[in-house]
Amino acid sequence: MKFGVVVFPGSNCDDDCYYVVRDLLGEEVDFIWHKETRVEGFDCLILPGGFSYGDYLRTGAIARFSPIMRAISNFAGRGGLVIGICNGFQILLESNLLPGAMMKNKNLRFICRFVNIRVENNLTPFTNLCQIGQVLKVPIAHIDGSYYADHETIGSLKENNQIIFRYCSEEGGLAQESNPNGSKDFIAGISNRQGNVLGLMPHPERASESILGSEDGRLIFESVVRAVKG
Amino acid sequence: MKEPERITLDLVRAHGLTEEEYKKIKDMLGRDPNFTELGIFSVMWSEHCSYKSSKPLLRMFPTSGENILIKAGEENAGVVDIGEGLAVVMKMESHNHPSAVEPFQGAATGVGGIIRDIFTMGARPIALLDSLRFGHLGNGRNRYLFSGVVGGIAAYGNCTGIPTVGGEVYFDETYEGNPLVNVMCVGVARRDNLVKARANGVGNPVLYVGADTGRDGLGGASFASRELTKESDKDRPAVQIGDPFKEKLLLEACLELLNTGVVVGMQDMGAAGLTSSTSETASRGNSGMRIDLSLVPRREEGMIPYELMLSESQERMLVIIKRGKERETRRVFDKWDLHAVPIGEVTDDGYLTVLDKDTRVAEIPAKFLTEDAPVYMREEREPEYLGKIKDVSISTIPEPQDYDDVLKILLASPTISSKRWVYEQYDYMIRTDTVLRPGGDAAVIRIKGTEKAIALTCDGNGRYCFLDPYEGGKIAVAEAARNVVCVGAKPLAITNCLNFGNPTKPYVFWQFRRCVEGIADACGILETPVSGGNVSFYNENPKGAIDPTPVVGMLGLIEKMDFICTPWFKKEGDLIILLGECRGEIGGSEYLQLIHGLKLGRIPRLDLERERAVQDTCLEVIRAHLVSSAHDCSEGGLAVTLAECCISNSGKERGAIIELEAFPEILSIRMDALLFGETQSRILISCHPRNFPQIQRVARRNKVPYARLGVVTGDRLTIRKIKKRVLDLSLKELGEKWRKGLSHGDD
Amino acid sequence: MQKLFQAKVYVSLKKGLADPQGSTIKEALESLGYRNLSEVRFGKYIEVKLRAKTKKGAEQKLKEMCGKLLVNSIIEEYSYHIEEKG
């Protein structure tokens, strides 16, 4: 199988994702420059974290018009797997490949720290190796990470099991103190209706080796491999 | 802007040049300089660019060593060999005055500048550290500066994808109105990929890459060389807006271009932009350069040559490529949507020739601007205040009634308290190489593809240097080395930022000399040569000079990452041992300042041989896997160090019981001096009891005194003297005080 | 008798300073096919509703607010529009 890591001007976590897939998982991976217009031969595309276009105007607002986005949209439409991490998630939101929007963290500052997220749905290609309610220790690093969607949209997300991860305490409970940025309904990650596009604010590629503090994030990448290879 | 009709002495002075300097320029040129040339000389001969007051003394620094590949002063940054064909490029720079006027952008553009200094040499920047100093936090203006500076560093560093992994923050009234913002950047390159900032090869194209030129910072290099006054608020043009997105594009494009092999030389356009980059590359290359200003991309209309040459617009690079390689070069910059405009070529006449279409607007031998810049041996005189403060007898200091209270006050003080509020705004994890995050004695960054890691820290103490510049200079180096040793790394080399007042004041220059001597001596004994650095003079405010504040940035090397040491206690039952001895020196301590309001005394003496022995011992026992934790004793003394070992690992705090009879000195030193004195060359370690005999053997072999103080246990920090409780606090209470110091009341 | 006024304040970077967001947005618009752009500047918009006896009085207060808090006079400039609200 083959992963693709999309690189926008200003992407920073592309190397990190590439490293996890190639060096830790031993899977084939290529970088895809944002000016490309086709994606062929890939099973999973990763839109990595960073500051595409400096986050100028609105985060993800300019990257959504990159030439590659049309191909990604078609790829997703065909059922291809797409993971948007942090800025990647923001780009997917601006592109309407996922519903909702990101707002500034409630404390109006950048936050870099390990948090806990709870797996709400383990029937996706991204979480099939997890248990429902499993707590994963993964880091966040963002200033615009407060997920927002209107009442109707949140209702729809719940109905269709599109909420994949929620911020929680170490024991898995939901409480304001464990919600680092004020996200609606403690939402840390969601999928689209069909379940093949995932967006999450935490960085699983930074929690894939014990030397960095946690290996929990690796489960997401390994789940994808399992989903594709069987 | 219009060119003045003629050059008057007033105009010369307004440019920061003296009458003698102007005469020298006329003599060297054999004619009067024109207005553009006057501007060019004024920036290149400014303190900031020429180091005219500091060069002679900086020669005291040891700059060579078996690990030094490129020495201080040869290029934009120093280069240190770390083996396996890899080299570390590092440098520290100050952006003090701009940050005082506009803290966010001042700090942000400071970060931008130092990052460019690193990748201009062909190294990918892998870490940033910041050393910050402000006036008292109780004052609203200082809170504003502090928030702004941290926000600016975060915004710029995070956006460019470089982790900010360490640093220090101090609050002291000496920095009132003149904050210190020193930023250090470290990069890694393959030795054979390093690029020099030299113009070579006649006819080779000179390219202008990056952002358009505007009227930014006109007079900025001179701004840094003049004192801040109330007028400075109107120095609006001297503040620039950083564009970290453009910087990221530049970084990636330049590194990509370097891999194609077409680059002959590269330099960032920093202070004095086009002027410094062209004259310095030509001078270093022993060549010349001819450029045509009409080709320079600009974002303002009607810019005259003077403005184009002196502009400090950010995010611009000068790139010299091999002739005939224009197409490959264009391909790379087009990919990244960056301007890359040929504006001239390398010559061999030794001149910096500046044209505006067909008109010659400046013609100066490049070396006149660099090597031949004046150098001054300033007058120096030992300051009078030193005689009055040297000795203080402890008997004149009232002994505290409640040691619990004293420790709580120290832990909650902004200088000592947890810096989490600061570093959680920095993305310290980006690049997934940060193996030891902020909060320890030093940051540790792994080098993927090898088993190696580097340790980084920056340290300095202005109060020590005020009270004793020589000893304070030594201590800055020793402490930085001690910090990297505590994480298991061998100290290799330093960079530095020397922040001082107005050097034309004899006592300031005396302080400068003594600090430089101290740093030089310590670097010699500890074998950590100076790889480069920065001098920032004129740090004064309407009230006077700041405390002399040299800041040292240390690079350490861990050959094999199998054991990285952290400062916090680990296991119930571990023994707590102090390497080194207590001398109860309270001069210049945080304790004396915070509790008694006194800034005086003889600062702790540093015995460099003892320091070396303690560091060697610590490194050996860490690498032999004999210790669970190691933490260096610094501000606040032994009690604060103990508390930090107990509480700094959030969620995994560990208590301790300390029996002071372990110290032979206990009978002769007063309790407060013992607990809060800042005696040097001490490291607090903890270990499994079974490892103690071996640790003893290593310490004895190195002739290092040690004391077995107590044991890691329970949920309190208890310090006893012959069964009587001297200090007894719960971890919860200690943690609450320590975590509160900086936060504004939210999270 | 206090009247209600609505002020619309437009804050942007001072002319002459680099405006990275403005120029990046301009480039993005151009890449979307909008070719005839001369300049794009990026700023903030702040709405302030306040009570005052007269329009002049309201303006006075507003200028004070801008000077003290809303505008960073080192690097920003502003313009405003103020009118009485029914």
Side-chain angles (χ1 to χ4, degrees):
Chain A
M1 70 163 292
K2 194 152 109 167
F3 282 82
V5 175
V6 184
V7 184
F8 297 92
S11 291
N12 289 323
C13 308
D14 41 323
D15 278 345
D16 300 345
C17 292
Y18 188 94
Y19 169 77
V20 169
V21 172
R22 190 191 66 176
D23 293 65
L24 300 183
L25 266 55
E27 297 294 338
E28 203 186 336
V29 58
D30 268 342
F31 287 115
I32 305 173
W33 183 234
H34 79 116
K35 286 184 182 170
E36 302 287 337
T37 51
R38 298 153 65 133
V39 285
E40 249 123 63
F42 292 99
D43 302 285
C44 177
L45 299 177
I46 301 175
L47 277 65
F51 284 71
S52 58
Y53 294 92
D55 271 7
Y56 294 162
L57 185 61
R58 287 184 318 276
T59 153
I62 299 176
R64 68 160 286 201
F65 289 112
S66 277
I68 192 67
M69 286 311 293
R70 176 160 295 174
I72 292 179
S73 181
N74 293 334
F75 176 83
R78 290 195 303 272
L81 300 180
V82 180
I83 305 177
I85 302 171
C86 199
N87 190 223
F89 185 11
Q90 291 158 344
I91 296 170
L92 291 174
L93 290 168
E94 284 279 342
S95 313
N96 295 314
L97 283 169
L98 287 173
M102 279 301 167
M103 294 176 56
K104 276 231 167 351
N105 294 346
K106 71 175 180 233
N107 75 348
L108 303 180
R109 285 195 300 271
F110 192 95
I111 303 173
C112 177
R113 78 164 83 115
F114 267 96
V115 298
N116 297 297
I117 57 175
R118 193 173 77 182
V119 177
E120 306 288 309
N121 177 351
N122 71 342
L123 298 178
T124 77
F126 315 101
T127 49
N128 55 58
L129 287 173
C130 305
Q131 313 285 351
I132 295 268
Q134 182 172 357
V135 175
L136 308 176
K137 184 180 164 196
V138 281
I140 56 169
H142 56 244
I143 188 170
D144 296 290
S146 185
Y147 179 77
Y148 172 83
D150 62 28
H151 190 70
E152 230 181 283
T153 310
I154 300 275
S156 165
L157 289 176
K158 282 180 174 160
E159 215 177 289
N160 300 304
N161 293 313
Q162 288 172 250
I163 300 176
I164 311 301
F165 301 110
R166 278 198 170 92
Y167 296 110
C168 66
S169 68
E170 216 175 313
E171 299 79 33
L174 298 180
Q176 278 314 321
E177 309 90 72
S178 320
N179 186 344
N181 47 38
S183 284
K184 205 108 183 259
D185 224 331
F186 307 93
I187 289 171
I190 58 170
S191 75
N192 62 349
R193 205 54 177 319
Q194 302 89 291
N196 63 316
V197 177
L198 169 75
L200 73 161
M201 284 314 288
H203 289 259
E205 80 282 10
R206 297 183 184 190
S208 296
E209 294 167 270
S210 54
I211 195 176
L212 296 178
S214 168
E215 281 183 290
D216 294 349
R218 214 168 141 149
L219 288 169
I220 294 170
F221 299 102
E222 287 172 341
S223 293
V224 169
V225 174
R226 191 208 201 190
V228 172
K229 281 182 164 174
Chain B
M1 188 177 187
K2 248 190 270 187
E3 281 202 20
E5 285 189 11
R6 40 183 206 93
I7 298 187
T8 61
L9 273 181
D10 271 345
L11 193 62
V12 168
R13 269 185 231 113
H15 275 83
L17 291 167
T18 65
E19 244 179 274
E20 296 77 43
E21 286 171 340
Y22 184 57
K23 182 170 183 305
K24 186 164 181 207
I25 292 170
K26 288 198 289 190
D27 288 343
M28 284 162 85
L29 288 178
R31 57 172 170 85
D32 283 12
N34 63 31
F35 183 59
T36 303
E37 290 169 333
L38 177 71
I40 291 173
F41 270 102
S42 80
V43 288
M44 291 308 292
W45 284 18
S46 71
E47 188 64 59
H48 186 86
C49 285
S50 71
Y51 281 59
K52 55 191 172 188
S53 300
S54 54
K55 235 192 234 173
L57 293 187
L58 295 179
R59 288 190 192 123
M60 286 196 273
F61 282 158
T63 54
S64 24
E66 58 178 9
N67 294 312
I68 300 289
L69 288 175
I70 294 181
K71 284 163 53 163
E74 285 177 4
E75 296 291 329
N76 280 293
V79 183
V80 183
D81 189 350
I82 57 167
E84 285 181 50
L86 295 171
V88 166
V89 178
M90 65 179 188
K91 194 171 178 196
M92 192 186 293
E93 264 201 0
S94 60
H95 232 226
N96 305 334
H97 290 164
S99 301
V101 175
E102 211 317 286
F104 187 97
Q105 292 296 345
T109 49
V111 172
I114 192 68
I115 290 174
R116 285 193 295 280
D117 271 331
I118 300 307
F119 74 75
T120 199
M121 303 213 31
R124 175 171 284 281
I126 62 169
L128 288 163
L129 291 92
D130 56 352
S131 173
L132 312 175
R133 286 165 170 79
F134 306 92
H136 283 306
L137 211 48
N139 170 329
R141 173 82 188 160
N142 292 328
R143 274 222 104 83
Y144 167 71
L145 291 175
F146 177 45
S147 286
V149 164
V150 171
I153 293 171
Y156 208 102
N158 295 348
C159 186
T160 45
I162 303 165
T164 303
V165 297
E168 46 172 18
V169 192
Y170 276 79
F171 300 91
D172 191 293
E173 64 181 4
T174 191
Y175 307 111
E176 197 70 43
N178 198 127
L180 297 187
V181 177
N182 296 166
V183 185
M184 174 176 168
C185 186
V186 180
V188 170
R190 293 216 60 84
R191 278 181 61 159
D192 39 17
N193 257 0
L194 291 167
V195 176
K196 300 204 168 165
R198 285 158 200 235
N200 287 125
V202 180
N204 279 338
V206 173
L207 266 53
Y208 169 114
V209 182
D212 292 344
T213 298
R215 295 197 166 90
D216 309 82
L218 281 170
S222 340
F223 179 63
S225 311
R226 291 200 307 268
E227 291 174 26
L228 280 172
T229 62
K230 289 222 170 66
E231 297 290 300
S232 299
D233 258 5
K234 297 189 202 121
D235 266 310
R236 189 222 314 141
V239 176
Q240 298 114 62
I241 308 294
D243 185 348
F245 171 53
K246 185 78 79 177
E247 179 98 337
K248 165 75 177 177
L249 299 179
L250 263 182
L251 195 165
E252 296 299 338
C254 288
L255 290 181
E256 201 172 304
L257 188 72
L258 281 165
N259 282 334
T260 64
V262 310
V263 175
V264 169
M266 199 156 73
Q267 174 149 333
D268 70 302
M269 294 193 205
L274 263 173
T275 294
S276 56
S277 52
T278 50
S279 51
E280 284 174 14
T281 47
S283 175
R284 275 196 212 101
N286 295 310
S287 59
M289 194 174 287
R290 178 172 51 240
I291 61 169
D292 178 357
L293 292 180
S294 68
L295 300 170
V296 168
R298 61 206 69 190
R299 63 164 208 269
E300 299 287 339
E301 288 184 9
M303 291 186 72
I304 60 174
Y306 174 93
E307 295 176 310
L308 289 165
M309 288 304 288
L310 267 55
S311 164
E312 297 197 350
S313 294
Q314 302 287 297
E315 291 98 23
R316 300 177 298 162
M317 305 284 291
L318 194 79
V319 184
I320 299 129
I321 58 169
K322 291 178 183 157
R323 196 162 34 163
K325 300 292 182 186
E326 290 84 335
R327 256 234 294 232
E328 275 132 289
T329 305
R330 156 125 285 121
R331 218 197 326 258
V332 173
F333 288 114
D334 279 351
K335 172 187 168 184
W336 290 94
D337 295 312
L338 288 167
H339 278 315
V341 182
I343 58 166
E345 54 187 33
V346 179
T347 65
D348 59 0
D349 63 5
Y351 275 80
L352 171 65
T353 306
V354 184
L355 308 169
D356 187 4
K357 278 254 174 65
D358 297 316
T359 319
R360 204 156 283 230
V361 294
E363 194 167 24
I364 305 168
K367 287 195 197 276
F368 281 10
L369 301 169
T370 55
E371 286 172 25
D372 298 340
V375 162
Y376 298 113
M377 280 309 288
R378 301 282 185 194
E379 200 194 323
E380 46 180 281
R381 197 183 314 133
E382 184 167 341
E384 282 175 27
Y385 72 77
L386 272 183
K388 298 179 194 139
I389 51 154
K390 260 223 167 83
D391 287 302
V392 65
S393 167
I394 187 130
S395 55
T396 63
I397 314 285
E399 195 170 346
Q401 296 298 314
D402 187 336
Y403 283 93
D404 286 355
D405 264 352
V406 173
L407 182 57
K408 282 193 280 189
I409 291 171
L410 288 176
L411 284 178
S413 68
T415 294
I416 290 178
S417 68
S418 164
K419 300 298 179 296
R420 211 181 70 157
W421 184 89
V422 172
Y423 63 73
E424 279 197 345
Q425 294 184 57
Y426 301 149
D427 186 350
Y428 53 84
M429 299 188 205
I430 178 64
R431 298 186 52 76
T432 57
D433 285 334
T434 309
V435 176
L436 185 50
R437 55 174 169 77
D441 282 326
V444 177
I445 312 283
R446 70 172 169 181
I447 314 276
K448 284 193 183 92
T450 73
E451 288 181 307
K452 294 179 198 273
I454 58 173
L456 301 168
T457 185
C458 43
D459 283 290
N461 189 317
R463 190 185 307 125
Y464 285 177
C465 293
F466 170 75
L467 296 171
D468 187 336
Y470 175 71
E471 210 65 23
K474 275 165 56 184
I475 289 174
V477 177
E479 189 176 342
R482 201 183 312 136
N483 275 320
V484 303
V485 160
C486 283
V487 299
K490 174 166 184 284
L492 279 193
I494 71 162
T495 179
N496 65 88
C497 205
L498 308 176
N499 304 278
F500 288 76
N502 181 336
T504 63
K505 294 183 184 170
Y507 82 90
V508 171
F509 204 68
W510 184 89
Q511 291 172 329
F512 182 70
R513 166 193 283 282
R514 294 298 281 153
C515 280
V516 168
E517 283 173 352
I519 293 171
D521 285 353
C523 285
I525 304 275
L526 297 177
E527 290 182 80
T528 56
V530 179
S531 73
N534 173 251
V535 177
S536 171
F537 277 128
Y538 298 97
N539 290 291
E540 306 227 356
N541 52 57
K543 292 193 189 146
I546 59 160
D547 286 348
T549 312
V551 176
V552 169
M554 180 68 70
L555 166 72
L557 181 64
I558 297 172
E559 292 284 4
K560 272 183 96 135
M561 262 198 305
D562 55 352
F563 197 84
I564 288 164
C565 199
T566 51
W568 36 82
F569 291 148
K570 305 286 186 314
K571 273 182 74 185
E572 177 89 15
D574 274 352
L575 299 179
I576 300 170
I577 299 153
L578 182 73
L579 297 176
E581 66 184 306
C582 292
R583 290 200 217 104
E585 297 154 295
I586 54 163
S589 63
E590 284 296 318
Y591 163 71
L592 209 56
Q593 175 75 66
L594 284 170
I595 305 298
H596 301 284
L598 297 171
K599 178 174 162 179
L600 42 70
R602 198 173 282 281
I603 68 171
R605 247 181 319 115
L606 177 68
D607 174 346
L608 282 166
E609 294 299 341
R610 161 63 60 81
E611 177 72 41
R612 215 207 153 122
V614 169
Q615 289 184 15
D616 285 348
T617 303
C618 185
L619 204 52
E620 197 179 323
V621 300
I622 288 176
R623 288 182 172 182
H625 296 243
L626 297 172
V627 303
S628 311
S629 73
H631 189 26
D632 121 273
C633 279
S634 56
E635 280 83 11
L638 181 63
V640 166
T641 307
L642 278 164
E644 286 171 348
C645 293
C646 288
I647 60 176
S648 57
N649 194 8
S650 200
K652 298 209 182 110
E653 293 88 350
R654 296 277 181 269
I657 295 182
I658 304 294
E659 313 281 2
L660 290 175
E661 313 71 283
F663 288 120
E665 308 90 326
I666 182 123
L667 298 173
S668 54
I669 301 177
R670 208 170 83 175
M671 186 58 67
D672 55 347
L674 187 63
L675 292 181
F676 308 115
E678 294 171 7
T679 299
Q680 294 293 301
S681 311
R682 296 182 299 169
I683 297 177
L684 196 70
I685 61 177
S686 69
C687 71
H688 191 286
R690 66 165 174 257
N691 294 329
F692 185 45
Q694 250 183 296
I695 293 174
Q696 284 177 298
R697 279 199 286 279
V698 177
R700 283 191 203 121
R701 196 192 332 118
N702 284 298
K703 300 201 181 56
V704 165
Y706 60 90
R708 180 174 145 173
L709 298 190
V711 70
V712 176
T713 183
D715 60 359
R716 304 183 71 79
L717 171 61
T718 307
I719 300 181
R720 301 199 286 233
K721 175 180 171 181
I722 313 173
K723 305 253 194 281
K724 181 165 147 244
R725 275 182 206 204
V726 176
L727 196 152
D728 189 7
L729 286 161
S730 70
L731 294 181
K732 188 162 176 286
E733 235 182 314
L734 288 170
E736 265 166 18
K737 290 290 170 194
W738 184 67
R739 279 181 246 285
K740 259 225 185 105
L742 287 185
S743 59
H744 294 243
D746 55 352
D747 68 80
Chain C
M1 173 64 187
Q2 301 256 316
K3 299 183 192 155
L4 185 66
F5 294 92
Q6 179 178 74
K8 301 185 178 184
V9 188
Y10 305 90
V11 185
S12 62
L13 286 171
K14 278 182 167 154
K15 276 212 154 34
L17 290 176
D19 182 358
Q21 298 209 51
S23 44
T24 305
I25 294 166
K26 177 167 180 274
E27 281 165 25
L29 286 171
E30 281 165 347
S31 75
L32 289 178
Y34 299 98
R35 294 281 157 205
N36 296 320
L37 299 172
S38 131
E39 193 189 24
V40 174
R41 293 177 56 80
F42 182 78
K44 290 184 268 207
Y45 166 71
I46 306 169
E47 238 180 58
V48 182
K49 285 204 180 100
L50 68 156
R51 289 184 210 286
K53 287 215 183 97
T54 64
K55 186 169 176 189
K56 211 164 173 206
E59 264 190 72
Q60 166 106 335
K61 280 267 167 291
L62 183 74
K63 281 196 234 178
E64 258 182 57
M65 290 181 220
C66 289
K68 267 201 186 136
L69 182 69
L70 303 178
V71 178
N72 179 342
S73 57
I74 308 279
I75 50 175
E76 293 173 329
E77 59 191 20
Y78 69 101
S79 64
Y80 63 89
H81 173 81
I82 189 164
E83 63 181 10
E84 193 180 334
K85 271 293 179 190

